[in-house]
């Protein structure tokens, strides 16, 4: 109804010409309108929102930066928008935000996660912009300086690493060497309210894919017991990601006994009779 009522041109105009509070509210409105709504995602991009949103990543106040990155995160869930957002130089603006902390870092990680999903050109651009180190740093619960990132920010960072490492042996090497494996494994056991586990498990899946050294490292870091526990959680998507990680870990002989000892076989067998889960949305409100 909001889009049909013709609200988009006014909201987009506020991004460029409004006062800071108006810009923040316009960003937030577009963020919510785009959340898990492909027609709105396309309509907002077609209304010209991408470039002013990208401009606010560098010129806005921290709250405006956060809201602009959140809007771009949800817009980037649509395949057609990924190209337009990258073409507007969003990646170069988002990567420095990873080191700002707080909300801007959280939403920047989410935007990079969605931009990297199923888009090889964006993946290469994100790596070229030197995003790997700050993404791994976001996973830390006890950073050397500053406050630790929120659980949501860490999930987004894990999701970005998951998408970047898919079938990319050099990146699997670099991310593991940067210390991501124990940090991702630690996320599997956290019981924070609202915690989701798909991104951390998915990142470990892709790090271990046809990579014997990483398979051994993930197993040695203690991933098998929490992955086996995820198989018993009610979330079908978490079960799927955990099963995928265990599949890749089981290619390493050193992990086979640990997987059986952790009690993974009964829930894995039970999953054979379960319907496939729907694909989890990558853009969150």
């Amino acid at each position: 109804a909001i889009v049909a009522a013709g609200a988009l041109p006014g909201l987009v105009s506020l991004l460029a010409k409004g006062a800071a509070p108006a810009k923040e509210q316009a960003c937030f409105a577009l963020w919510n309108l785009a959340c898990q709504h492909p027609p709105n995602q396309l309509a907002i991009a077609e209304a010209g929102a991408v470039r002013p949103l990208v401009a606010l990543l560098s010129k806005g106040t921290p709250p405006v930066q956060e809201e602009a990155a959140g809007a771009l995160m949800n817009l980037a869930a649509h395949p057609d928008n990924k190209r337009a957002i990258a073409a507007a130089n969003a990646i170069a603006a988002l990567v420095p935000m990873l080191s700002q902390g707080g909300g801007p870092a959280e939403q920047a990680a989410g935007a990079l996660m969605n931009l990297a999903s199923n888009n090889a050109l964006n993946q290469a651009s994100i790596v070229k912009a030197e995003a790997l180190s700050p993404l791994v740093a976001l996973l830390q619960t006890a950073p050397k300086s500053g406050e630790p990132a929120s659980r949501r920010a860490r999930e987004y960072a894990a999701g970005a690493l998951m998408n970047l490492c898919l079938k990319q042996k050099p990146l699997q090497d670099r991310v593991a060497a940067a210390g991501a494996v124990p940090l991702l494994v630690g996320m599997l056991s956290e019981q924070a309210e609202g915690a989701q586990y798909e991104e951390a498990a998915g990142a470990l899946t892709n790090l271990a894919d046809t990579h014997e050294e990483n398979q051994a490292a993930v197993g040695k870091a203690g991933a098998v017991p929490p992955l086996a526990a995820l198989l018993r959680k009610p979330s079908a998507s978490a079960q799927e990601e955990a099963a995928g990680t265990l599949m890749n870990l089981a290619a390493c002989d050193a992990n086979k006994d640990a997987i059986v000892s952790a009690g993974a076989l009964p829930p894995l067998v039970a999953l054979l009779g379960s319907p496939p889960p729907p694909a989890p949305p990558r853009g969150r409100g």
Side-chain angles (χ1 to χ4, degrees):
I2 295 174
V3 173
L8 291 184
L11 289 170
V12 171
S13 178
L14 284 175
L15 298 177
K17 300 177 181 178
K23 289 179 179 178
E24 182 178 351
Q25 294 304 315
C27 289
F28 201 13
L30 295 171
W31 178 347
N32 284 341
L33 286 169
C35 183
Q36 299 180 30
H37 197 292
N40 282 359
Q41 291 161 5
L42 273 180
I44 291 167
E46 290 170 356
V50 169
R51 289 195 175 276
L53 283 169
V54 171
L56 290 174
L57 299 177
S58 302
K59 300 177 181 178
T61 63
V64 171
Q65 288 178 308
E66 176 182 356
E67 305 296 352
L72 290 167
M73 173 185 68
N74 284 346
L75 291 177
H78 197 289
D80 292 349
N81 289 342
K82 297 179 196 293
R83 294 185 291 272
I85 294 170
N89 296 318
I91 291 169
L94 288 165
V95 171
M97 290 174 60
L98 297 173
S99 302
Q100 286 184 219
E106 177 179 314
Q107 300 308 320
L112 292 170
M113 174 182 71
N114 282 352
L115 286 168
S117 178
N118 299 312
N119 190 298
L121 289 177
N122 284 356
Q123 292 163 7
S125 296
I126 292 167
V127 173
K128 186 176 181 180
E130 300 184 354
L132 293 184
S133 292
L135 284 170
V136 173
L138 268 183
L139 300 175
Q140 298 177 8
T141 55
K144 294 180 181 179
S145 62
E147 294 294 322
S150 67
R151 171 73 191 195
R152 179 66 61 86
R154 294 164 61 224
E155 290 170 359
Y156 286 159
L161 293 169
M162 171 184 70
N163 291 336
L164 293 171
C165 288
L166 179 62
K167 306 295 183 184
Q168 298 290 330
K169 174 68 162 59
L171 295 184
Q172 290 172 300
D173 293 339
R174 288 176 61 184
V175 172
V181 168
L183 298 172
L184 292 165
V185 170
M187 290 178 66
L188 299 178
S189 300
E190 293 176 8
Q191 300 300 316
E193 183 179 355
Q196 298 191 33
Y197 302 92
E198 291 85 350
E199 286 85 1
L204 291 169
T205 298
N206 290 348
L207 284 169
D209 185 27
T210 64
H211 195 300
E212 187 172 352
E213 294 85 357
N214 283 357
Q215 291 162 4
V218 173
K220 188 175 181 180
V224 171
L227 287 168
L230 280 182
L231 295 174
R232 297 179 172 87
K233 283 193 171 289
S235 168
S237 56
Q239 292 172 346
E240 179 187 21
E241 292 291 355
T245 312
L246 291 169
M247 173 186 70
N248 286 344
L249 295 182
C252 176
D253 288 341
N255 292 330
K256 296 182 191 294
D257 289 342
I259 292 171
V260 175
S261 298
L265 292 185
L268 284 171
V269 172
L271 286 176
L272 297 176
S274 301
R282 290 302 183 200
R284 298 183 188 166

